[in-house]
Amino acid sequence: QAALPNVVILATGGTIAGAGASAVNSATYSAAKVPVDKLIAGLPELSKVANVRGEQVFQVASESLTNDNLMILAKRVSALSKQADVDGIVITHGTDTLEETAYFLTLTVHTTKPIIVVGSMRPGTALSADGALNLFDAVNVAASKDAAGKGVLVTMNDEIQTARDVAKTVNIKTEAFKSQWGPLGMIVEGKNYWFRAPVKRHTMQSEFDIDTITALPAVEIVYGYQSVPSTAIDAFAKSGVKAIVHAGTGNGSVADRIVPVLQKVRSDGAIVVRSSRVPDGFVIRNAEQPDDKYDWVVAHDLRPQKARILTMVALTKTNDTKELQRIFWEY
Ligand SMILES: NC(=O)C[C@H](N)C(=O)O
């Protein structure tokens, strides 16, 4: 229909394409089973909002996605966003790593067109399945002019969240996706209600561009806890890792026996990023550890898994720790 916007759904799998043995199976089911054409056919309401077509990019649970998947998906999103006959893009995705993909896309795809990442907590076969409404909301936002230029967005549980801030915070409820800074808005009966806009750099203002990125460096995460040994750090260092994100305790604190190990990692040439395992709040530079002295970078308010994404992307441009810290403040 000529009057309607054109929205492409790129399907990658996850629970939104999941199927269980019975309607009471809300947690026990197989993810990544239902093909995208069937998802679209099951939601005839979409045809009143947009001309929708689907592409099956992957069919996996999101815990199994890799950097190669990220590159393929982002390059496809970028190519589609340049097509005159595409007004918006929706990516259906497993929820376990949805925030990582969404953040990668908002950092690397140069477009003002709406890009929405969406998943579900229950498979479509379950009672009170949440995928249909989440997908309907995603297509509505992707088809809206007022969603343009806001960076990659996530629609879950009636809310519109920014890719940068949102995270999976509950693993068993439909209200799973939250941001400590709050959602940007809500969708009710197919209408968007906006309340705020992101201030961090994304998409068109990003200095990173997926069209010129050919490979992502190895960046790994190590976790802080009582009695933690240096075994994991030693192994990552030996494997030639380019950066280690330390998911520290509290305000990114680091155990006294781990500090010299991370200092050695840095002096041997890899980057050390100090983040926190605490879900909310943010890490303050030179508090808890002397970052200036050790030449470490702090992750600001990014959780370890998002700090990893930004570090990989940033390292495609620079190894300079001052530049990396600037990037962490700005994105
Ligand atoms: N709710 C989900 O989508 C979880 C699933 N394990 C996935 O991330 O693919």
Side-chain angles (χ1 to χ4, degrees):
Q1 303 171 60
L4 291 180
N6 300 320
V7 172
V8 180
I9 300 181
L10 298 179
T12 71
T15 297
I16 196 164
S22 89
V24 296
N25 287 128
S26 61
T28 313
Y29 58 86
S30 301
K33 287 282 161 211
V34 183
V36 64
D37 289 342
K38 212 171 153 197
L39 287 182
I40 294 170
L43 249 183
E45 292 79 6
L46 294 180
S47 63
K48 296 198 174 64
V49 176
N51 301 312
V52 174
R53 68 175 178 85
E55 277 179 32
Q56 194 75 48
V57 187
F58 316 116
Q59 186 65 295
V60 290
S62 71
E63 61 270 25
S64 300
L65 288 169
T66 64
N67 287 351
D68 288 346
N69 293 131
L70 270 190
M71 298 272 291
I72 290 166
L73 179 66
K75 284 180 188 291
R76 186 66 192 133
V77 173
S78 176
L80 282 170
S81 73
K82 291 180 172 67
Q83 282 182 215
D85 63 347
V86 174
D87 298 301
I89 300 163
V90 168
I91 296 120
T92 58
H93 200 288
T95 56
D96 288 350
T97 66
L98 186 149
E99 68 220 51
E100 295 170 51
T101 298
Y103 191 42
F104 184 76
L105 294 174
T106 211
L107 291 173
T108 61
V109 177
H110 282 226
T111 184
T112 57
K113 292 181 184 174
I115 302 172
I116 321 298
V117 190
V118 65
S120 77
M121 295 299 290
R122 297 177 181 149
T125 47
L127 294 170
S128 280
D130 53 330
L133 183 55
N134 288 348
L135 182 56
F136 180 69
D137 287 348
V139 171
N140 268 288
V141 178
S144 310
K145 290 218 159 38
D146 60 16
K150 292 192 167 70
V152 175
L153 303 168
V154 173
T155 57
M156 296 284 293
N157 200 37
D158 304 342
E159 291 180 335
I160 309 169
Q161 300 273 3
T162 168
R164 179 191 184 276
D165 297 340
V166 77
K168 188 175 193 174
T169 60
V170 189
N171 55 17
I172 203 83
K173 294 182 181 176
T174 51
E175 54 182 330
F177 280 76
K178 299 254 162 66
S179 151
Q180 67 168 327
W181 311 120
L184 301 185
M186 289 195 69
I187 317 130
V188 182
E189 296 181 352
K191 185 172 165 27
N192 307 334
Y193 295 86
W194 299 97
F195 295 96
R196 63 188 91 244
V199 298
K200 299 291 188 181
R201 290 172 72 173
H202 57 74
T203 54
M204 292 305 280
Q205 302 87 43
S206 177
E207 68 205 88
F208 312 108
D209 185 346
I210 191 61
D211 294 348
T212 61
I213 297 176
T214 50
L216 293 171
V219 176
E220 311 298 348
I221 301 170
V222 296
Y223 208 79
Y225 49 92
Q226 291 183 350
S227 264
V228 63
S230 65
T231 320
I233 302 174
D234 295 338
F236 281 140
K238 217 175 143 202
S239 75
V241 76
K242 296 291 180 275
I244 286 183
V245 176
H246 184 264
T249 36
N251 189 2
S253 54
V254 184
D256 51 9
R257 66 197 165 279
I258 298 299
V259 169
V261 185
L262 287 178
Q263 281 182 282
K264 175 137 193 340
V265 166
R266 178 68 200 115
S267 61
D268 288 346
I271 301 295
V272 173
V273 178
R274 196 164 64 81
S275 70
S276 175
R277 68 179 196 176
V278 178
D280 289 345
F282 50 95
V283 176
I284 293 167
R285 195 166 168 87
N286 294 317
E288 288 291 351
Q289 290 294 330
D291 300 295
D292 288 348
K293 187 173 157 203
Y294 296 164
D295 199 24
W296 291 353
V297 175
V298 297
H300 199 16
D301 62 332
L302 294 179
R303 292 163 191 235
Q305 63 271 29
K306 279 195 176 155
R308 174 180 170 272
I309 296 285
L310 182 56
T311 305
M312 287 195 301
V313 171
L315 283 176
T316 65
K317 279 234 156 165
T318 181
N319 271 315
D320 182 272
T321 48
K322 285 213 169 51
E323 270 293 279
L324 291 168
Q325 188 63 72
R326 172 191 64 79
I327 287 165
F328 266 90
W329 298 142
E330 291 182 1
Y331 289 82

